[in-house]
Amino acid sequence: MTLVGLFMTMTEIEVLILAGASPSSVAVTLEVLATANRLAVGRAGGPPFWAWTSGSGAEAWSAVLDVAAPAERPDLVIVPGLALTTAEAIEGRLRDPDMRAAASRLALARDAGIEVATSCSGAFLLGQAGLLAGRRATTSWWLAPLLARMHPDVELVMDELIVRDGGVTTAGAAMAQMDLMLSLVARLAGASLAARCSRYLLMDERRSQSRYMALSYLAAAD
């Protein structure tokens, strides 16, 4: 999908859509990227900004996307949140061949210095790829006990909606993909453009998921 926008330099973004990805998370990712570019071009024009899709679930979006050929080395890989809400679903899905291939892809991206971002249970894929080891991270609040058990070397920060540590950014539950995308636009293209996207898409800024948590659940979760 070719997008044009006003960025300091051309940014190559890969949207890694996997089978079973949250439809809303995928849609929000693409909508924010497209909106950021429309607003930037409408205001001043600028250099090209590219995005493309890949992964086992990308074919489902082929009817509505003009998929561009990927660059050899993207600047950023975005993994839309995965629609996995239980330990059984997550552990089973991580064993699938396409998820193992995606984990290898992300590990190579990390080794090449490429930034990676995800939300919700996408954090478990990053954990499997070794991207979260020794890092601060977050995920859907009700999955925090599971992530801590599977990856005890991760410093979970559950009161924050978005956590960036080095070249890895994680966000809370599926709708936190909106907040994640705005934060990426702000960092890549400036706070002003991110604020305009927020106004056009009626997206309010949120910084914490603590007010959504059921603390009694977290205290009892094994």
Side-chain angles (χ1 to χ4, degrees), residues 178-199:
M178 296 187 296
D179 308 271
L180 174 65
M181 292 306 301
L182 285 179
S183 75
L184 293 173
V185 170
R187 185 158 54 80
L188 295 171
S192 176
L193 183 58
R196 294 177 68 210
C197 288
S198 178
R199 290 194 295 272

Side-chain angles (χ1 to χ4, degrees), residues 30-217:
L30 301 174
E31 186 69 29
V32 172
L33 289 174
T35 299
N37 281 273
R38 284 197 301 269
L39 292 176
V41 171
R43 185 172 187 176
F49 171 60
W50 302 86
W52 65 88
T53 59
S54 65
S56 57
E59 185 177 352
W61 295 83
S62 61
V64 294
L65 293 176
D66 177 18
V67 181
E72 292 184 2
R73 184 189 185 281
D75 299 295
L76 169 67
V77 178
I78 300 173
V79 184
L82 305 175
L84 303 170
T85 59
T86 67
E88 294 77 12
I90 290 170
E91 292 170 346
R93 185 74 178 89
L94 288 174
R95 290 192 291 267
D96 291 340
D98 65 319
M99 290 287 278
R100 292 181 179 276
S104 297
R105 166 77 183 93
L106 295 175
L108 290 173
R110 176 216 38 211
D111 293 343
I114 297 169
E115 292 199 35
V116 177
T118 192
S119 66
C120 197
S121 48
F124 289 85
L125 176 61
L126 269 59
Q128 179 166 279
L131 271 63
L132 300 184
R135 296 186 186 276
R136 299 168 69 250
T138 192
T139 186
S140 304
W141 62 263
W142 68 89
L143 294 174
L146 177 62
L147 187 62
R149 187 163 67 249
M150 293 177 65
H151 300 285
D153 53 352
V154 176
E155 181 185 346
L156 278 173
V157 186
M158 294 314 302
D159 60 336
E160 295 184 23
L161 194 63
I162 301 170
V163 175
R164 184 178 183 229
D165 189 337
V168 178
T169 305
T170 51
M175 289 296 99
Q177 187 77 11
M178 296 187 296
D179 308 271
L180 174 65
M181 292 306 301
L182 285 179
S183 75
L184 293 173
V185 170
R187 185 158 54 80
L188 295 171
S192 176
L193 183 58
R196 294 177 68 210
C197 288
S198 178
R199 290 194 295 272
Y200 272 80
L201 297 173
L202 303 182
M203 294 163 59
D204 294 328
E205 183 179 16
R206 300 173 295 176
R207 294 187 180 275
S208 174
Q209 60 178 324
S210 59
R211 68 189 177 111
Y212 303 99
M213 296 178 184
L215 298 181
S216 59
Y217 174 87

